[in-house]
Amino acid sequence: MGMTDRLRLGLIGYGYWGPNLARNFHQLPEAALVACADMDAGRLNEVGRLYPSLKQLATDARALIENPTLDALVIATPARTHFALVKQALEAGKHVLVEKPLAMSSGEARTLIECAREQRRVLMVGHTFEYNPAVWKIRELIQEGALGKLYYFYSNRVNLGRVQTDVNALWSIAPHDISILLYLMNQMPETVAARGVSYVSQGVEDVIFALLTFPENVNAHIHASWLDPSKTRQMTIVGSEKMVVYDDVDPEAKLKIYDKGVYRRGDAFGEFQLRVHSGDIYIPKIDLTEPLRYECAHFLECVRENKPPRTDGENGLRVVRVLEAAQASLHQNGATLPVA
Amino acid sequence: MGMTDRLRLGLIGYGYWGPNLARNFHQLPEAALVACADMDAGRLNEVGRLYPSLKQLATDARALIENPTLDALVIATPARTHFALVKQALEAGKHVLVEKPLAMSSGEARTLIECAREQRRVLMVGHTFEYNPAVWKIRELIQEGALGKLYYFYSNRVNLGRVQTDVNALWSIAPHDISILLYLMNQMPETVAARGVSYVSQGVEDVIFALLTFPENVNAHIHASWLDPSKTRQMTIVGSEKMVVYDDVDPEAKLKIYDKGVYRRGDAFGEFQLRVHSGDIYIPKIDLTEPLRYECAHFLECVRENKPPRTDGENGLRVVRVLEAAQASLHQNGATLPVA
Amino acid sequence: MGMTDRLRLGLIGYGYWGPNLARNFHQLPEAALVACADMDAGRLNEVGRLYPSLKQLATDARALIENPTLDALVIATPARTHFALVKQALEAGKHVLVEKPLAMSSGEARTLIECAREQRRVLMVGHTFEYNPAVWKIRELIQEGALGKLYYFYSNRVNLGRVQTDVNALWSIAPHDISILLYLMNQMPETVAARGVSYVSQGVEDVIFALLTFPENVNAHIHASWLDPSKTRQMTIVGSEKMVVYDDVDPEAKLKIYDKGVYRRGDAFGEFQLRVHSGDIYIPKIDLTEPLRYECAHFLECVRENKPPRTDGENGLRVVRVLEAAQASLHQNGATLPVA
Amino acid sequence: MGMTDRLRLGLIGYGYWGPNLARNFHQLPEAALVACADMDAGRLNEVGRLYPSLKQLATDARALIENPTLDALVIATPARTHFALVKQALEAGKHVLVEKPLAMSSGEARTLIECAREQRRVLMVGHTFEYNPAVWKIRELIQEGALGKLYYFYSNRVNLGRVQTDVNALWSIAPHDISILLYLMNQMPETVAARGVSYVSQGVEDVIFALLTFPENVNAHIHASWLDPSKTRQMTIVGSEKMVVYDDVDPEAKLKIYDKGVYRRGDAFGEFQLRVHSGDIYIPKIDLTEPLRYECAHFLECVRENKPPRTDGENGLRVVRVLEAAQASLHQNGATLPVA
């Protein structure tokens, strides 16, 4: 593939996550990363040195948005800036990949979806776990019924360090869990209840606990925090026949599938009996390709073939709707609220 | 110590936990385990074979309560039977060690405390974690201020197998967490909010999530369940200066003390700055003596010296009050309720 | 089973391992533990208190050997005393279960085998890993060819604490590895080479490394030491098709079976190609019954039914022959020696 | 730093390790990676795409050696090619960083040292663990005597996959262990004994066990293999006062320092007593910067400042001398041989 056939990309935001996007797009032969914007001149300098292919370095995102030679923009800026930047980019005719969350309200998200539709441009949200082979495997297990009747999920996504002062742990961390859960369940939760506590910065919850209730009494509990001694990205899925522990930071055993379960069974006399079984554990081999690479490749493919991404605007909107309901619950002291 | 000087004990209930009590009292030279009651003749047969010192084996607990040669009774029966058995035992003039929870309501618990006072008998509740050297060490760290400003606790106490059909996971599992938390905080929570879900038996919550709020914005989250692939007994304590992970099933590293923290500090210009530090980890050597042994020895000592146990009736009542408020919250869909 | 039908046992040695034997035989309804000897009066006192069924407590083993009412003796004394005690016990007409190693030389071991044959008594050696369900499972995998061509074993059996001053780590620790290896391979090694180093007591090797070579280029490396920070009991088995890690101290994953391997394969053109595969991991459920319980029950069964134990004198002799060759190699600076 | 001030580097070999060198030098502002050679045109294509700064891509290393605009060459080719390539590069006036081992014999290594001296060029060997902060910390502990009397080291460096058919596991894997040991001990071993076994390719040992004996009865055992189910890079250091486990693949606890030990102490009566202690565990915070980055930066600094590298030719020679003696021992069936 010649240089001229490659999609010309600009990256807006080279902070925490931007370097990962830059690295992945740089490695993909289908893309040419030719422009980058960041408000910090030091960061710009750094990215320019690492990627000599960058022709345009700007401290103002507008410079990239207005550059007519760019096909697509990748936006990795703070959450509160997503709406305005994505809107401008789409209106300037760019395809857009934006980091999660898509926007800070469902109203904003709908506006962006509408805008992408009008402009006939690809709008994709960086829900990276939907490009993770371990998550694919769990979905496969659920869909083929291997876990039996689904009981509940619980997720622990905590670590120390990335303390935010603008958005809380719900909007910063929990989008990952919500995106995974919607993907695995293939439906929306009926209700959400969430609680959070601020320790470091007043009004910004450092720790949140949320409970999502799906149809048929399937529940999912999320614990997200940036005040924790250890980096943990663990989700447990409990079914009546099998249980799965998904530990995203364990390279050898990302998934452990336990042949364990409890269920009630009616016997010949109309009585119910409890059956508990506990058997082998199975650790399937999981493709260890970086999920972000699949995500980036998928974006390029969607732009090239003009097809809707798996994590399109509608997908991003669904996550925002759950976040929005959870945020309302936070403000109402943990009330159980319907997902609008 | 001669046989005649030893405290003469009867054990009521030789089911799941009774064997541990029997084994520990048998190993303590100050006690003579001479009687046992269990409704199941097979269990009685078994205990009689293992402990030839048992002179009395009965399927009816009354036989032990009415045996005038017994000094004390150890009660390890289902939670709903505690109140009646403890009351009868105290009224018959026996000292009593009863498994947690003390009773199923604070009213019952108060009646038992009053009864013990009138009979001048020792009433002790088997809150075994208050006899656990790892828990002692955490209390020491908190009391000397080593953790800085306390932020929050979270506890995960789950496993597969002991599915109950009479009491829910709150009354069956969470008494451990509540007892540990009250001991560590040395005060009562102001409010409790709890949610639970039943999967296996209608009306009996298999999984519960509870949030306790203590004064000065210290919070504690409890996740208890008997539907889980792995046995987990883990509590994390997050402070502004240090963080502790207490893993009760890790023999080499029961406690990990992380020199990690985040806090805000005012600078000379009246501005606030975030400080994040992340340093060494320290694993203190913890006495691995079985906590139940300390508990049993403490009971014998209290009876002998006529002194109030550390986990006396009042202690047991405090745990029941928290359970009671949590149960009310469960019924009110997770409402935040004061601990009466 | 009445008291009178039960086998009457005496235990000689209530030091490190004796308590485990006492506990297990006490729990087995087919046995009556009625006598115990130990040179230390304090230990005797302790065992007498814990097991009121003991009718005879003696500081001299001869008292038990000469007690005509005992059917069998269980010997858990220091290795150097095994030969004399077992010999006397057999000559006194007792069945014998003796801890490993059977004796300190193959000559002694042969004498004991001969003695048992003449007296028509059961002689069993406590090679407890041959009663371990995890080891049974490995043997099954090997025998059904699931691992492909066997390449090599390596074992790490180390910990801190039980520093010996009479026998070295070879005779104290490595009998376990050797017993496991002979059982798994179902044949003797052709040669042994061993090296060891003394750090704490002159002339007593605290650390040993040994290499056993079996037919068809199967090798086994043993590292045994009592100078180590962590308790480790791990053996890895490497085959051309599958590999197994056996971690005896991991309760959840005693065996991990890796679908991994490397082999050479001839192709259609007479060329050889290297095939490397790396797939799933499988953790079979392993029966967690204490292996010593199976061992003790097997001894009782062999005495009762007058049949040769799985770990009979011949089995014990084979282990001693390997130890003997390894000890000779130690003295010859690691020379490769045939197993006589 | 302008482009013109930067050291102009060529990389020979873009196979397994080359990409890591390319990435690290690319990230260092003091270097300009301008040329790369690899016999595989596909690899050349790949590296050219990832690093547009590369002006010269060649399938023949000679092209780089003869390029007068290059200041230094980084050689990451198979071990058997090191000698010829390094010699040519030095003779062409290039500074050289070569992967371990420096050469396949001490004669060759000496020739290269001499050549570098004559040409007044920097010759550095990529013994990357000598740039590893965890290893620095262990050396610090040893040098300040914190471990007490050193007893022994043992190292397990195994994994599956990089099966070699030209050099054996001794020359391919063990150079790491030897380099670490010489660095930690700051002296040469007196003798070496090694055994190895070939399973996959005749005459190429896949598995090796080696024992190095240092003065004062300090020993070090090395187990290296590429036939193993798990990637392990673990070294244990046992002293009379403290013990250290160095696990290079554990991100949270690279070093565990155990306050454990055993030693003999003379008492007032001239008797010796064994003291065993077992206390806390301490996990120091270790700088997680990639050691290769420190290594690459060190090479640049040495070239710029014309100073001898820490892992200079003499250092590389010492490792080769140990390898050479171990190889001779392999051929003599594990004989104990002096390190010449």
Side-chain angles (χ1 to χ4, degrees):
Chain A
M1 180 174 297
M3 184 70 186
T4 49
D5 302 328
R6 291 151 76 186
L7 214 72
R8 296 173 57 82
L9 295 183
L11 171 63
I12 300 177
Y14 192 74
Y16 170 74
W17 193 244
N20 296 323
L21 288 159
R23 177 172 45 79
N24 274 280
F25 277 117
H26 177 65
Q27 285 169 0
L28 287 166
E30 298 83 2
L33 186 64
V34 293
C36 184
D38 196 282
M39 292 169 63
D40 179 334
R43 299 297 294 158
L44 268 191
N45 208 24
E46 170 82 359
V47 73
R49 197 171 58 71
L50 288 180
Y51 301 99
S53 61
L54 288 171
K55 306 299 176 208
Q56 183 185 23
L57 296 174
T59 49
D60 185 347
R62 293 239 37 117
L64 271 64
I65 291 169
E66 291 168 359
N67 178 342
T69 73
L70 298 179
D71 300 309
L73 291 174
V74 178
I75 298 174
T77 56
R80 294 193 181 283
T81 67
H82 289 179
F83 174 69
L85 287 170
V86 174
K87 188 153 177 289
Q88 292 165 28
L90 289 169
E91 287 171 352
K94 309 302 184 200
H95 301 286
V96 173
L97 168 59
V98 61
E99 265 317 295
K100 52 86 203 164
L102 171 55
M104 296 299 292
S105 74
S106 55
E108 286 179 358
R110 283 195 187 92
T111 301
L112 297 178
I113 291 168
E114 185 52 32
C115 189
R117 189 176 303 133
E118 282 170 9
Q119 299 288 335
R120 295 170 187 269
R121 286 298 176 273
V122 169
L123 169 59
M124 174 165 151
V125 189
H127 287 307
T128 192
F129 281 94
E130 300 192 34
Y131 302 92
N132 188 313
V135 176
W136 296 341
K137 178 70 183 176
I138 302 172
R139 173 138 132 166
E140 194 184 304
L141 290 167
I142 291 176
Q143 291 191 340
E144 69 194 27
L147 308 188
K149 163 79 183 88
L150 268 186
Y151 289 160
Y152 83 117
F153 298 78
Y154 66 92
S155 174
N156 200 23
R157 194 171 304 273
V158 300
N159 63 286
L160 185 75
R162 293 242 307 135
V163 180
Q164 313 269 316
T165 50
D166 57 340
V167 296
N168 61 17
L170 174 68
W171 289 85
S172 171
I173 301 173
H176 288 312
D177 302 291
I178 294 169
S179 145
I180 294 170
L181 288 165
L182 300 193
Y183 176 73
L184 293 179
M185 291 299 298
N186 210 18
Q187 61 181 332
M188 289 292 277
E190 295 172 329
T191 61
V192 176
R195 289 173 182 274
V197 194
S198 313
Y199 298 105
V200 177
S201 307
Q202 209 168 353
V204 180
E205 289 82 2
D206 306 291
V207 178
I208 68 114
F209 302 102
L211 188 66
L212 280 61
T213 300
F214 289 89
E216 295 182 45
N217 200 25
V218 177
N219 296 274
H221 188 266
I222 298 169
H223 171 201
S225 162
W226 50 57
L227 297 181
D228 206 85
S230 300
K231 181 177 174 180
T232 306
R233 272 107 185 79
Q234 195 170 307
M235 183 180 275
T236 301
I237 302 104
V238 175
S240 62
E241 297 283 349
K242 284 200 168 63
M243 303 182 181
V244 180
V245 174
Y246 164 33
D247 185 343
D248 197 60
V249 299
D250 184 333
E252 189 180 276
K254 277 206 189 307
L255 290 189
K256 286 189 184 168
I257 304 171
Y258 292 76
D259 184 18
K260 289 191 174 182
V262 179
Y263 56 95
R264 290 204 117 176
R265 174 178 280 171
D267 66 13
F269 307 97
E271 297 283 306
F272 281 88
Q273 282 193 312
L274 217 58
R275 305 286 174 109
V276 180
H277 70 280
S278 173
D280 300 337
I281 303 171
Y282 167 67
I283 299 172
K285 183 177 167 75
I286 298 290
D287 169 5
L288 293 181
T289 304
E290 189 177 2
L292 186 54
R293 189 180 177 100
Y294 285 128
E295 178 191 319
C296 293
H298 182 67
F299 177 63
L300 297 177
E301 183 191 336
C302 290
V303 169
R304 184 169 304 276
E305 303 182 9
N306 196 24
K307 66 179 193 186
R310 257 183 285 160
T311 51
D312 62 4
E314 293 291 347
N315 177 301
L317 166 62
R318 285 192 292 272
V319 173
V320 169
R321 282 170 57 205
V322 177
L323 289 167
E324 210 168 33
Q327 181 67 45
S329 175
L330 269 188
H331 284 160
Q332 294 173 46
N333 203 12
T336 305
L337 299 180
V339 178
Chain B
M1 180 175 296
M3 182 71 186
T4 50
D5 302 328
R6 290 152 75 187
L7 213 74
R8 296 173 57 83
L9 297 183
L11 171 63
I12 300 178
Y14 193 73
Y16 170 73
W17 193 245
N20 295 324
L21 287 159
R23 177 171 46 78
N24 274 280
F25 278 118
H26 178 63
Q27 284 170 359
L28 287 166
E30 299 82 3
L33 185 65
V34 294
C36 185
D38 197 281
M39 292 169 63
D40 179 333
R43 298 296 293 157
L44 267 191
N45 207 26
E46 169 82 358
V47 73
R49 196 171 59 72
L50 287 181
Y51 301 100
S53 61
L54 287 171
K55 305 300 175 208
Q56 184 185 22
L57 295 174
T59 49
D60 185 346
R62 293 240 36 117
L64 271 64
I65 290 169
E66 290 167 0
N67 177 343
T69 73
L70 298 178
D71 300 309
L73 290 175
V74 178
I75 298 174
T77 55
R80 295 194 181 282
T81 67
H82 288 180
F83 173 70
L85 287 170
V86 174
K87 188 153 178 289
Q88 291 166 28
L90 288 170
E91 286 171 353
K94 309 304 186 199
H95 301 285
V96 173
L97 168 59
V98 61
E99 265 318 295
K100 51 85 203 166
L102 170 55
M104 296 300 291
S105 74
S106 55
E108 286 179 358
R110 284 196 185 90
T111 300
L112 297 177
I113 291 169
E114 185 51 32
C115 189
R117 188 177 304 133
E118 281 170 9
Q119 299 288 336
R120 295 169 186 271
R121 286 300 176 271
V122 168
L123 169 59
M124 176 166 150
V125 189
H127 286 308
T128 192
F129 281 94
E130 300 193 34
Y131 301 92
N132 188 312
V135 176
W136 297 341
K137 177 71 183 176
I138 302 172
R139 173 138 133 166
E140 195 185 304
L141 290 166
I142 291 176
Q143 290 191 340
E144 70 194 28
L147 308 188
K149 164 78 183 87
L150 268 186
Y151 289 158
Y152 84 117
F153 298 78
Y154 65 92
S155 175
N156 200 22
R157 194 171 305 273
V158 300
N159 63 286
L160 185 75
R162 293 242 307 135
V163 180
Q164 312 270 316
T165 50
D166 56 341
V167 295
N168 62 17
L170 174 67
W171 288 84
S172 171
I173 301 173
H176 288 312
D177 302 291
I178 295 169
S179 145
I180 294 170
L181 288 165
L182 301 193
Y183 176 74
L184 293 179
M185 290 299 297
N186 210 19
Q187 61 181 332
M188 290 291 278
E190 295 173 330
T191 60
V192 176
R195 288 174 182 274
V197 193
S198 312
Y199 297 106
V200 177
S201 308
Q202 209 169 353
V204 180
E205 289 83 1
D206 306 290
V207 177
I208 67 114
F209 302 101
L211 188 67
L212 281 60
T213 300
F214 289 88
E216 295 182 43
N217 199 26
V218 178
N219 297 272
H221 188 266
I222 298 169
H223 172 202
S225 162
W226 50 56
L227 296 181
D228 206 85
S230 300
K231 181 177 173 179
T232 307
R233 274 108 183 77
Q234 195 170 308
M235 182 179 275
T236 300
I237 301 105
V238 175
S240 62
E241 298 283 349
K242 284 199 167 67
M243 303 182 181
V244 181
V245 174
Y246 165 32
D247 185 343
D248 199 61
V249 300
D250 184 332
E252 189 181 276
K254 278 205 187 307
L255 291 189
K256 285 190 187 169
I257 304 172
Y258 293 76
D259 184 19
K260 287 191 175 182
V262 180
Y263 55 96
R264 290 205 118 176
R265 174 180 279 172
D267 65 15
F269 306 96
E271 297 283 305
F272 282 87
Q273 283 193 309
L274 218 57
R275 305 286 174 109
V276 180
H277 69 280
S278 172
D280 301 337
I281 304 171
Y282 168 68
I283 299 173
K285 183 178 167 74
I286 299 290
D287 168 6
L288 293 181
T289 305
E290 190 178 1
L292 187 54
R293 189 180 176 99
Y294 284 129
E295 177 191 318
C296 292
H298 182 66
F299 177 63
L300 298 177
E301 183 190 337
C302 290
V303 169
R304 185 168 301 277
E305 302 182 9
N306 197 24
K307 67 179 193 186
R310 256 183 285 160
T311 50
D312 63 3
E314 294 292 348
N315 178 301
L317 167 60
R318 285 192 292 272
V319 173
V320 169
R321 283 170 55 206
V322 176
L323 289 167
E324 213 168 32
Q327 180 68 43
S329 175
L330 268 188
H331 284 161
Q332 294 172 46
N333 203 11
T336 306
L337 299 180
V339 178
Chain C
M1 181 176 295
M3 183 71 185
T4 50
D5 303 329
R6 290 151 76 186
L7 214 73
R8 294 174 58 83
L9 296 184
L11 171 63
I12 300 179
Y14 192 74
Y16 170 73
W17 194 245
N20 296 325
L21 288 159
R23 177 170 47 77
N24 274 280
F25 277 118
H26 177 64
Q27 285 169 0
L28 287 165
E30 298 82 3
L33 185 65
V34 293
C36 184
D38 196 282
M39 292 169 63
D40 179 333
R43 298 297 294 157
L44 268 191
N45 208 23
E46 170 82 359
V47 73
R49 196 169 60 71
L50 288 181
Y51 301 99
S53 61
L54 288 170
K55 306 298 176 211
Q56 183 184 22
L57 296 174
T59 49
D60 186 348
R62 293 237 39 114
L64 270 63
I65 291 169
E66 292 167 358
N67 177 342
T69 73
L70 298 179
D71 300 309
L73 290 175
V74 178
I75 297 175
T77 56
R80 294 194 182 282
T81 68
H82 288 180
F83 174 70
L85 287 171
V86 174
K87 188 153 178 291
Q88 291 166 28
L90 289 169
E91 287 171 353
K94 309 303 185 201
H95 302 285
V96 173
L97 168 60
V98 61
E99 265 319 295
K100 50 86 204 163
L102 170 55
M104 295 300 292
S105 74
S106 55
E108 286 179 358
R110 284 196 185 88
T111 301
L112 296 178
I113 291 167
E114 185 51 33
C115 189
R117 189 177 302 132
E118 282 170 9
Q119 299 287 337
R120 295 169 187 269
R121 286 300 176 271
V122 168
L123 170 59
M124 173 165 152
V125 189
H127 286 308
T128 191
F129 281 94
E130 299 192 35
Y131 301 92
N132 188 313
V135 176
W136 296 341
K137 177 70 184 177
I138 302 172
R139 173 139 132 165
E140 195 184 304
L141 289 167
I142 291 176
Q143 291 191 340
E144 69 193 28
L147 309 188
K149 163 78 182 89
L150 268 185
Y151 288 159
Y152 84 117
F153 298 78
Y154 66 91
S155 174
N156 199 23
R157 195 170 305 273
V158 300
N159 62 285
L160 185 75
R162 293 240 308 134
V163 180
Q164 313 269 316
T165 51
D166 57 340
V167 295
N168 61 17
L170 175 67
W171 289 85
S172 171
I173 301 173
H176 288 311
D177 302 292
I178 295 169
S179 144
I180 294 170
L181 289 165
L182 301 193
Y183 175 75
L184 293 179
M185 290 299 297
N186 211 19
Q187 63 182 331
M188 289 292 277
E190 294 172 330
T191 61
V192 176
R195 289 174 181 273
V197 193
S198 312
Y199 298 104
V200 177
S201 308
Q202 209 168 354
V204 180
E205 290 83 1
D206 306 290
V207 178
I208 68 114
F209 302 101
L211 189 66
L212 281 60
T213 300
F214 290 89
E216 295 180 45
N217 199 27
V218 178
N219 296 274
H221 187 266
I222 299 170
H223 171 204
S225 162
W226 50 57
L227 297 180
D228 205 85
S230 300
K231 180 177 175 180
T232 307
R233 274 108 183 76
Q234 196 169 307
M235 183 179 275
T236 300
I237 302 104
V238 175
S240 63
E241 297 283 349
K242 284 199 168 65
M243 304 184 179
V244 181
V245 174
Y246 165 32
D247 184 342
D248 197 59
V249 299
D250 184 332
E252 190 181 274
K254 277 207 189 307
L255 291 189
K256 284 190 189 169
I257 304 171
Y258 293 76
D259 183 18
K260 288 190 175 184
V262 180
Y263 57 96
R264 290 205 118 174
R265 173 179 281 172
D267 66 14
F269 306 96
E271 298 283 306
F272 282 88
Q273 283 193 309
L274 216 58
R275 303 288 173 108
V276 179
H277 69 281
S278 174
D280 301 336
I281 305 172
Y282 166 68
I283 300 172
K285 183 178 167 74
I286 299 290
D287 169 6
L288 293 181
T289 304
E290 191 178 0
L292 187 53
R293 188 180 178 101
Y294 285 129
E295 178 191 318
C296 292
H298 182 66
F299 177 63
L300 297 177
E301 184 190 335
C302 290
V303 169
R304 185 169 301 276
E305 303 181 8
N306 197 24
K307 67 179 194 187
R310 256 182 284 161
T311 51
D312 63 3
E314 294 291 349
N315 177 301
L317 167 62
R318 286 191 292 271
V319 172
V320 168
R321 284 169 56 205
V322 177
L323 289 168
E324 213 169 31
Q327 180 67 43
S329 175
L330 268 188
H331 285 160
Q332 294 172 47
N333 203 13
T336 305
L337 299 180
V339 178
Chain D
M1 181 175 294
M3 185 71 186
T4 50
D5 303 328
R6 289 151 76 186
L7 213 73
R8 294 173 58 81
L9 297 183
L11 171 63
I12 300 178
Y14 192 73
Y16 170 74
W17 193 244
N20 296 323
L21 287 159
R23 178 172 44 79
N24 274 279
F25 277 118
H26 178 65
Q27 285 169 359
L28 287 165
E30 298 83 3
L33 186 64
V34 293
C36 185
D38 196 281
M39 291 169 64
D40 180 334
R43 300 295 295 157
L44 268 191
N45 207 25
E46 169 83 359
V47 73
R49 197 171 58 71
L50 288 180
Y51 301 99
S53 61
L54 288 170
K55 306 299 175 209
Q56 183 184 23
L57 296 174
T59 49
D60 185 347
R62 293 239 36 118
L64 271 62
I65 291 168
E66 290 167 0
N67 177 342
T69 74
L70 299 178
D71 300 309
L73 291 176
V74 178
I75 298 173
T77 55
R80 295 193 181 282
T81 67
H82 289 180
F83 173 70
L85 287 170
V86 174
K87 187 153 178 290
Q88 291 165 27
L90 289 169
E91 287 171 352
K94 310 303 185 200
H95 302 285
V96 174
L97 168 60
V98 62
E99 264 319 294
K100 50 87 202 165
L102 171 55
M104 295 301 292
S105 75
S106 55
E108 287 178 356
R110 283 195 187 90
T111 301
L112 296 177
I113 291 168
E114 186 51 33
C115 189
R117 189 177 302 134
E118 281 170 8
Q119 300 286 337
R120 297 171 185 268
R121 286 298 175 272
V122 169
L123 170 58
M124 175 166 150
V125 189
H127 287 307
T128 191
F129 281 94
E130 300 193 35
Y131 301 92
N132 188 313
V135 176
W136 296 342
K137 176 71 183 177
I138 302 172
R139 174 139 133 166
E140 193 185 306
L141 289 166
I142 291 176
Q143 290 192 341
E144 69 193 28
L147 309 188
K149 164 79 182 87
L150 268 186
Y151 289 158
Y152 85 117
F153 299 77
Y154 66 92
S155 174
N156 200 22
R157 194 170 306 273
V158 300
N159 62 285
L160 185 75
R162 293 242 308 135
V163 180
Q164 312 270 315
T165 51
D166 57 340
V167 296
N168 61 17
L170 174 68
W171 289 85
S172 170
I173 302 173
H176 288 310
D177 301 292
I178 294 169
S179 145
I180 294 170
L181 288 165
L182 300 193
Y183 175 74
L184 293 179
M185 290 300 296
N186 210 18
Q187 62 182 332
M188 289 292 277
E190 294 173 330
T191 61
V192 176
R195 289 173 182 275
V197 194
S198 312
Y199 298 105
V200 177
S201 308
Q202 209 168 352
V204 180
E205 290 83 2
D206 307 290
V207 178
I208 69 113
F209 302 101
L211 189 66
L212 281 60
T213 300
F214 290 88
E216 296 181 44
N217 199 26
V218 177
N219 296 274
H221 188 267
I222 298 169
H223 172 203
S225 162
W226 51 57
L227 297 180
D228 206 84
S230 300
K231 181 178 174 180
T232 306
R233 273 108 184 78
Q234 195 169 308
M235 182 179 275
T236 300
I237 302 106
V238 176
S240 63
E241 297 282 350
K242 285 200 167 63
M243 303 181 180
V244 180
V245 174
Y246 165 31
D247 184 343
D248 198 59
V249 298
D250 185 333
E252 190 181 275
K254 278 208 187 308
L255 290 189
K256 285 190 187 169
I257 305 172
Y258 293 76
D259 184 18
K260 289 191 174 183
V262 179
Y263 56 95
R264 290 204 116 176
R265 173 179 280 173
D267 66 13
F269 306 98
E271 298 282 307
F272 282 88
Q273 284 193 309
L274 217 58
R275 305 286 174 110
V276 180
H277 69 280
S278 173
D280 301 337
I281 303 171
Y282 167 68
I283 299 171
K285 183 178 168 76
I286 299 290
D287 169 6
L288 294 181
T289 305
E290 190 177 1
L292 186 54
R293 189 179 177 101
Y294 285 129
E295 178 190 319
C296 293
H298 182 67
F299 177 63
L300 297 178
E301 183 191 336
C302 289
V303 169
R304 185 169 302 277
E305 304 181 9
N306 197 23
K307 66 179 196 187
R310 256 182 285 161
T311 51
D312 63 3
E314 293 291 347
N315 177 300
L317 167 61
R318 285 192 292 272
V319 172
V320 169
R321 283 169 55 206
V322 177
L323 288 167
E324 212 169 32
Q327 181 67 43
S329 175
L330 268 188
H331 285 160
Q332 294 172 47
N333 203 12
T336 305
L337 299 180
V339 177

